[in-house]
Amino acid sequence: IEIYSLHVDCKVTSRFAHTLITSKIVNRANESKEATFEVELPKTAFITNFSMSIDGKVYPGIIKEKASAQKEYDAAISRGQSAGLVKITGRKLEQFHVSVSIAAASKVTFELTYEELLKRQLGKFELLIKVRPKQLVKHFQIDVHIFEPQGISFLETNSTFMTNELTEALRKVQSETKAHILFKPTVDQQKINPELDETLLNGDFVVRYDVKRGATAGDIQIVNGYFVHYFAPREMPALPKNVIFVIDRSGSMAGRKIEQTRDALLKILQDLRPEDHFTFITFNSKVVEWKSSLLEATAENVASAAGFVQTLSASGGTDINRALLTAVSVLDKAEMLPERSVSMIILLTDGQPTSGENNVEVIQENIQKAINEKYALFCLGFGFDVSYKFLEKMALSNSGIARRIYENADAALQLQGFYQEVATPILMKIEMQYPENAIEGLTKNNFKLFFEGSEIIVSGKISGDLDLLPVEIKAQSQASDLTLKEEAYIKEKEQIFQNQSYIFGNFIERLWAYLTIQQLLEKSLSAQEEDQKILEGQALELSLQYSFVTPLTSMVVTKPAGQQQAELANKPTEAG
């Protein structure tokens, strides 16, 4: 079985990435053989299309509602095989895997398309392409086209498998608003050494970039009546933060995990700003406050905290409920905090609640009631023994996010990396306002916090006959209340994309659908049951309308007669 052509074609238009992977395979044997198509794609992406064509006959993947697809095919599929075609394979990736039997000398072409909205983190966008053909490929090519009307401020590519030989196969062409990256190694360049038919191509091919930002009120782009508004203010002073680290020191944290936690906390302490306030709460079945109130991050207090962190050891049970309630009450009682400051609780735990209150629903309610929208809660789940769903629901209900920390050698770096993302809040209470009667389907437009290095994205459909789209942003910065205004001339904005031949015409509409589905699913995680059904219903409708494989839909892949008739591609989630 020979893969004679493998082409990854990726078009990024204004952060929205559309990737098409085409693999052409021929059976050189004189009997039927199994041809396999295996692709790793980012967890943040939605598959939108798949097809196999065998000797000219096309077998498309069809996207249906998950529940009905499952029912329909349970009959055909023996129970054990409903794992489906997609599974999570790493921190950032999931794998799509399909095999089909083809006759001697037959050819098959596999095509998979997926889309995602690139998210700005720590000041850059990252496009990740996983490369693993497992054999030498005669025609191998990666094409990445980027078009950013705001202008590209920097662009870099790197890869985990590059050699000097392979670097010669990499071309980069860049203008003010466009970039084209082409990676096209010959068979000889792909080889580990000239004697062996083994490929070097195994790993990540990564493109990172950022855009230029001129207008203070962000940048608006419009195509076919849909708009997207990007907002990432620059060079603003950080708001002071009041942060409580709530650290699990139960028995399961013993050994490497608690060591890595200590290492990370020592580094994080060095990154606190003098105007920040902080303290630690550690817990097993008992909850221990390092100090009874928040301390200013002076050199002296930071040194004293470092001494405390070094003594952290692990044993006993896990009382998450009381630990978090204690943290909330420390913030409630805090005095002398800077008037304009951001209060946050960062929880790190590696297990389920086992001491005190251990019903996760009761804990969620207790915490939400106690926080009462005053503070942000970030939940870090260390390893795979945590109930990620519980942590995610708790964080999302309290203006925060959840993250999994993987039990690897770099866990301390993962913890620091997460802290970097929330270390510099520069705005709070951000309201993005648009003319009420002229916009439909507006995505989330109120944000509690904005962190340096990230980006706010709002999208919607312009319904009225507008020539001009006025926007107004209200927010609180460290110094004052801000009002930023901007007007977009619709015809002028539409013009920008008119002559871009390689852009798929309705990309802002698809971006809007992608973002809306992501937000509906996120909202449904922390909603009450009736609301959950409504939110999921709306997300399902959009998933079907725009053909996205989301946690609510399945793609049914049919095969030629005589082979296992149908297989399902589902979207796995972090919570499992």
Side-chain angles (χ1 to χ4, degrees), residues 321-337:
N321 184 55
R322 207 151 53 95
L324 286 175
L325 290 175
T326 307
V328 175
S329 93
V330 170
L331 284 170
D332 284 344
K333 290 190 305 224
E335 288 161 2
M336 312 293 290
L337 295 178

Side-chain angles (χ1 to χ4, degrees), residues 55 131 154 189 193 252 267 282 308 392 458 461 464 466 500:
D55 298 333
V131 178
F154 93 95
Q189 287 171 320
N193 67 37
S252 52
K267 296 270 188 342
T282 63
F308 165 72
E392 188 172 40
V458 181
K461 184 181 180 180
L466 289 187
Q500 302 303 331

Side-chain angles (χ1 to χ4, degrees), residues 471-484:
V471 304
E472 186 171 292
I473 302 174
K474 291 194 155 125
Q476 294 180 4
S477 73
Q478 184 237 333
S480 62
D481 289 359
L482 302 176
T483 302
L484 307 169

Side-chain angles (χ1 to χ4, degrees), residues 339-512:
E339 187 192 340
R340 283 174 184 262
S341 62
V342 171
S343 296
M344 53 173 89
I345 297 169
I346 298 178
L347 167 71
L348 172 68
T349 177
D350 76 331
Q352 317 264 1
T354 58
S355 312
E357 179 56 66
N358 56 22
N359 177 331
V360 290
E361 270 130 34
V362 175
I363 299 175
Q364 280 158 357
E365 268 172 45
N366 291 348
I367 305 310
Q368 197 171 348
K369 211 180 274 166
I371 290 182
N372 196 12
E373 296 182 15
K374 295 173 294 209
Y375 319 124
L377 169 64
F378 298 94
C379 297
L380 304 179
F382 206 147
F384 281 89
D385 295 332
V386 290
S387 163
Y388 191 80
K389 210 171 181 174
F390 158 61
L391 295 178
E392 188 172 40
K393 182 168 179 177
M394 208 157 49
L396 292 172
S397 312
N398 297 290
S399 326
I401 55 173
R403 239 339 129 68
R404 195 187 294 285
I405 302 296
Y406 292 83
E407 288 184 54
N408 293 73
D410 68 342
L413 288 170
Q414 295 174 58
L415 287 164
Q416 276 162 259
F418 168 79
Y419 175 75
Q420 299 291 238
E421 286 177 50
V422 298
T424 316
I426 54 177
L427 291 177
M428 48 190 198
K429 298 188 179 150
I430 304 110
E431 283 181 42
M432 314 277 285
Q433 298 174 342
Y434 307 87
E436 258 175 44
N437 47 0
I439 302 292
E440 282 173 36
L442 189 64
T443 60
K444 181 177 159 83
N445 66 329
N446 283 325
F447 303 86
K448 197 178 173 97
L449 297 169
F450 175 78
F451 297 101
E452 175 78 74
S454 66
E455 179 174 63
I456 283 176
I457 304 178
V458 181
S459 181
K461 184 181 180 180
I462 301 166
S463 55
D465 273 348
L466 289 187
D467 296 325
L468 201 66
L469 177 65
V471 304
E472 186 171 292
I473 302 174
K474 291 194 155 125
Q476 294 180 4
S477 73
Q478 184 237 333
S480 62
D481 289 359
L482 302 176
T483 302
L484 307 169
K485 290 184 178 181
E486 181 72 55
E487 289 182 330
Y489 287 91
I490 292 173
K491 296 254 184 318
E492 208 175 282
K493 289 285 181 188
E494 293 244 4
Q495 218 44 55
I496 296 174
F497 295 99
Q498 287 322 5
N499 50 6
Q500 302 303 331
S501 56
Y502 63 77
I503 286 155
F504 43 112
N506 61 348
F507 90 94
I508 293 185
E509 183 177 346
R510 293 194 67 78
L511 181 159
W512 166 82

